[in-house]
Amino acid sequence: MLAKSARLTESGDFARATKSGIRYSSTNFVGYLYMTELDQSARAGLIISKAVGSSVARHRLARKIRHCIFDNYASLPTGSLLVIRGLNNSAEADCKSEIATVVANLVRKSKDRAATK
């Protein structure tokens, strides 16, 4: 489970990450990574659509995704905002490998952009 300081809770942070952040899509998930200038730990949040299924299915998926984010949390840059969006068929997805791929590609893209600036 992510620590309270590692969670996104404000709608403005979600909006900033999804509208202005780096985006990477996989089959079942879309990841957004927004780099801030703040010197604080990275924070992560989830967006799970009702199209995924019932409340039970959505919460089960949220627990799986949180567990996968926890496993990849150390690779996130300092001050970054990560948002993972679960798409329609993501309830049956292999979350561990797919989330790891999404996070790795987002971090790689952010390093590439930082190197070009």
Side-chain angles (χ1 to χ4, degrees):
M1 183 61 104
L2 290 173
K4 187 168 186 165
S5 62
R7 296 183 210 155
L8 280 179
T9 56
E10 297 179 18
S11 63
D13 290 337
F14 278 94
R16 192 174 316 130
T18 56
K19 290 180 178 32
S20 302
I22 299 166
R23 180 175 186 234
Y24 181 81
S25 298
S26 69
T27 306
N28 298 300
F29 301 100
V30 178
Y32 304 93
L33 186 68
Y34 180 79
M35 305 302 294
T36 65
E37 301 297 323
L38 302 175
D39 188 29
Q40 62 185 18
S41 63
R43 293 182 292 155
L46 308 174
I47 300 172
I48 308 217
S49 168
K50 285 188 176 182
V52 169
S54 67
S55 176
V56 172
R58 291 193 309 271
H59 283 87
R60 182 178 297 129
L61 177 62
R63 286 191 302 273
K64 287 180 186 178
I65 294 172
R66 274 192 219 104
H67 184 74
C68 296
I69 289 173
F70 180 77
D71 291 343
N72 297 289
Y73 184 75
S75 66
L76 295 174
T78 303
S80 62
L81 305 177
L82 172 71
V83 174
I84 301 290
R85 180 185 299 270
L87 301 177
N88 297 352
N89 298 326
S90 56
E92 296 86 29
D94 177 24
C95 293
K96 189 167 186 115
S97 64
E98 206 165 337
I99 296 291
T101 303
V102 168
V103 171
N105 281 305
L106 286 169
V107 170
R108 180 187 51 78
K109 279 182 156 183
S110 72
K111 287 180 181 177
D112 291 347
R113 284 197 184 171
T116 59
K117 287 186 178 182

